[in-house]
Amino acid sequence: FQAMAQGSARFGRTDALLRYAYSPQRLLFAQEDGGPGAFYQENAFEAALRRRFLRDKRLRLQLGFTAEWNDFVPEFDDRDSFNPGTELAARYDFDFVSLRAGVEYEYRDAERDNYQRDKLDVGAGFDARLPWELLLRFTYERSFRD
């Protein structure tokens, strides 16, 4: 389950976006010996600016800040973390197809050093608008973690 609140505003060719999402309880993994699983709550926040370019406004560039924080059950408090990140994305709209590409960097600052990491995601994909208000979306994403 995820609850989400989102707001946006348009200022000429620029859009401002704020989004908050909350997942009350997610299962990361279950113990093989039947012990308690690693349940956690997840909070996510995103603030972004999107700007349209070219005369027909088909090119959009987005710069955003993301933050996610996870609160695990007491048995796994060493995995509690705050994860700030930034993202840069581009999108070009044709009549029925949109091409997308982006890169996102995230740092996980966990309670225990063993669970800290740097992550870089690189992705590309397309959206195809089909008859009957159907949307076909394909995305390939590659993550690099340290």
Side-chain angles (χ1 to χ4, degrees):
F1 173 79
Q2 185 177 61
M4 183 182 297
Q6 176 175 309
S8 63
R10 179 166 288 166
F11 306 97
R13 291 179 172 227
T14 303
D15 296 333
L17 169 76
L18 290 175
R19 178 183 299 143
Y20 170 76
Y22 171 71
S23 296
Q25 191 176 53
R26 299 180 70 171
L27 177 62
L28 180 64
F29 61 83
Q31 300 281 21
E32 289 182 14
D33 63 2
F39 285 96
Y40 68 101
Q41 298 178 66
E42 182 180 67
N43 295 273
F45 173 79
E46 179 181 3
L49 290 176
R50 182 181 304 139
R51 177 81 175 169
R52 290 176 178 78
F53 292 92
L54 305 178
R55 190 171 45 137
D56 54 7
K57 301 179 188 175
R58 290 182 179 237
L59 175 65
R60 289 185 263 178
L61 298 180
Q62 179 171 316
L63 176 64
F65 167 78
T66 60
E68 182 180 297
W69 55 101
N70 302 317
D71 183 19
F72 283 79
V73 293
E75 295 86 357
F76 296 96
D77 275 344
D78 53 352
R79 294 175 185 249
D80 289 354
S81 65
F82 177 72
N83 313 318
T86 57
E87 60 182 16
L88 177 63
R91 176 185 182 116
Y92 190 86
D93 295 325
F94 294 97
D95 290 334
F96 298 103
V97 175
S98 299
L99 302 177
R100 297 178 282 105
V103 62
E104 181 178 0
Y105 170 78
E106 178 184 278
Y107 174 72
R108 176 184 284 170
D109 185 18
E111 291 292 322
R112 187 168 163 202
D113 291 346
N114 189 42
Y115 297 108
Q116 293 183 358
R117 72 167 186 228
D118 290 296
K119 181 175 85 163
L120 180 67
D121 291 336
V122 178
F126 68 87
D127 295 344
R129 290 171 290 288
L130 304 173
W132 304 295
E133 299 298 321
L134 294 176
L135 177 69
L136 173 66
R137 175 169 282 174
F138 174 81
T139 303
Y140 176 79
E141 186 172 281
R142 173 77 187 213
S143 294
F144 304 91
R145 296 180 181 178
D146 179 21

